[in-house]
Amino acid sequence: MTSAPPTDAPFPAGPAGPAGLTVQKVGGRLGAVISGVRLGGDLAPETVAAVRAALLTHKVVFFHGQQHLDEESHEAFGRLLGSPVAHPTVPSGDGRYALRIDSDYGGRANQWHTDVTFVPAYPAFSILRALVVPPYGGNTIWANTATAYSALPAPLRTLAESLRAEHSNDYDYAALRPDALPEQLEHYREVFTSTKFRTEHPVVRVHPETGERVLLLGNFVQRIVGLTGRDSRALLELFQRYVESPENTVRWQWQVGDVAIWDNRATQHYGVDDSDDHARRLRRVTVDGDVPVGVDGRASVLLAPKAVPEPPFGAPSGASTAAPAAA
Ligand SMILES: [Fe+2]
């Protein structure tokens, strides 16, 4: 496990620049801690460029001591990486872009997933900020989907490149949360699936910034197109095994004031639900992504509904890019 050194004091206020910025790897396949940066909307362009470069290289980057951030400055920092986008179905915590990820809110992300892949242009980056952390447990694990792809034997890489998969936000929540209260689950499900999305993605996506090939799977996948349910499940399990392999992951133990930013196009993550009834509250701002493209040049396609509906606030995920709708 990545052990986070104690950092009670936030970084001092003042202009941050690459001069004081350090990047230290915390995992062999992904993950790095960035020090010497006080996150906010006023970072120097060269600092933003350094953070973005580290993010693309290490897939998930961690910052300590960012207690000064509030909803506004969290969002302002997000704007330095792209256009913040609202979740397509779940209302935000502040009426703007900050999504509540709270242990007492019903939704727990204890499945391997990439954020919001049930829409075509799912977020490029997610920025998660810890407000309240449990005394134990509640870690998040990330996996590198580029190294998962490259670790596949050549015949399996070729097979994956030829496949497309259907992703949806409408799946069996109860099967994944057997210990949750039925009414809590029902409420979460009602909100989360208020619009039922279906999107067809390539199983191997070409990353739009790095050019890397990545596996595009996770728990929103319902089936591989053109296969029976049984074949589909067998193949998904096979590919997902390369994603979830312990050597392909990094695990983070949260402290108050920590911020994690991940390249949502090159990772999956898993919120470990092992802190009993202790409170865990985080806020997430996501930044708009592109419509994925497969190795064969074919783009992802929104199957349902006809278009991504407008959320109550701001632009829907994928709004800054032209998501091709199914005919
Ligand atoms: Fe997530």
Side-chain angles (χ1 to χ4, degrees), residues 85-102 105-108 115-116 118-119 169 171 173 185-197 220 282-286 308-317:
V85 279
H87 191 279
T89 56
V90 181
S92 72
D94 63 348
R96 291 179 64 84
Y97 294 108
L99 185 75
R100 285 178 297 190
I101 299 187
D102 291 355
Y105 185 60
R108 296 188 186 200
D115 288 333
V116 202
F118 47 86
V119 299
N169 59 334
Y171 61 89
Y173 289 77
L185 261 182
E186 192 47 42
H187 173 71
Y188 185 73
R189 184 187 164 87
E190 257 175 45
V191 171
F192 199 80
T193 63
S194 55
T195 301
K196 292 176 169 51
F197 292 95
F220 295 119
L282 303 102
R283 293 290 178 274
R284 188 185 88 192
V285 170
T286 51
V308 177
E310 294 279 322
F313 176 81
S317 190

Side-chain angles (χ1 to χ4, degrees), residues 145-229:
T145 56
T147 48
Y149 164 83
S150 55
L152 290 172
L156 290 182
R157 287 203 299 269
T158 305
L159 173 62
E161 287 165 11
S162 73
L163 299 171
R164 312 233 335 152
E166 187 177 317
H167 296 228
S168 177
N169 59 334
D170 187 22
Y171 61 89
D172 187 359
Y173 289 77
L176 291 162
R177 299 278 315 278
D179 54 337
L181 297 171
E183 57 272 23
Q184 197 183 39
L185 261 182
E186 192 47 42
H187 173 71
Y188 185 73
R189 184 187 164 87
E190 257 175 45
V191 171
F192 199 80
T193 63
S194 55
T195 301
K196 292 176 169 51
F197 292 95
R198 288 170 50 229
T199 292
E200 185 186 298
H201 288 299
V203 167
V204 178
R205 172 185 189 178
V206 180
H207 192 289
E209 291 189 73
T210 65
E212 290 174 302
R213 295 179 180 187
V214 303
L215 285 176
L216 171 41
L217 296 170
N219 79 310
F220 295 119
V221 175
Q222 303 304 299
R223 63 189 183 94
I224 292 182
V225 176
L227 299 188
T228 63

Side-chain angles (χ1 to χ4, degrees), residues 99 101 109 111 113-116 126 128 140 142 219-220 262 264 268-271 284:
L99 185 75
I101 299 187
Q111 314 113 44
H113 66 285
T114 294
D115 288 333
V116 202
S126 291
L128 191 56
T140 303
W142 284 265
N219 79 310
F220 295 119
W262 60 96
N264 197 48
Q268 286 186 26
H269 56 282
Y270 184 111
R284 188 185 88 192

Side-chain angles (χ1 to χ4, degrees), residues 234-254:
L235 273 186
L236 288 170
E237 197 177 322
L238 189 157
F239 292 133
Q240 187 65 20
R241 182 151 49 82
Y242 285 81
V243 175
E244 297 174 16
S245 151
E247 289 77 13
N248 197 50
T249 68
V250 68
R251 181 166 180 143
W252 188 252
Q253 183 173 11
W254 291 97

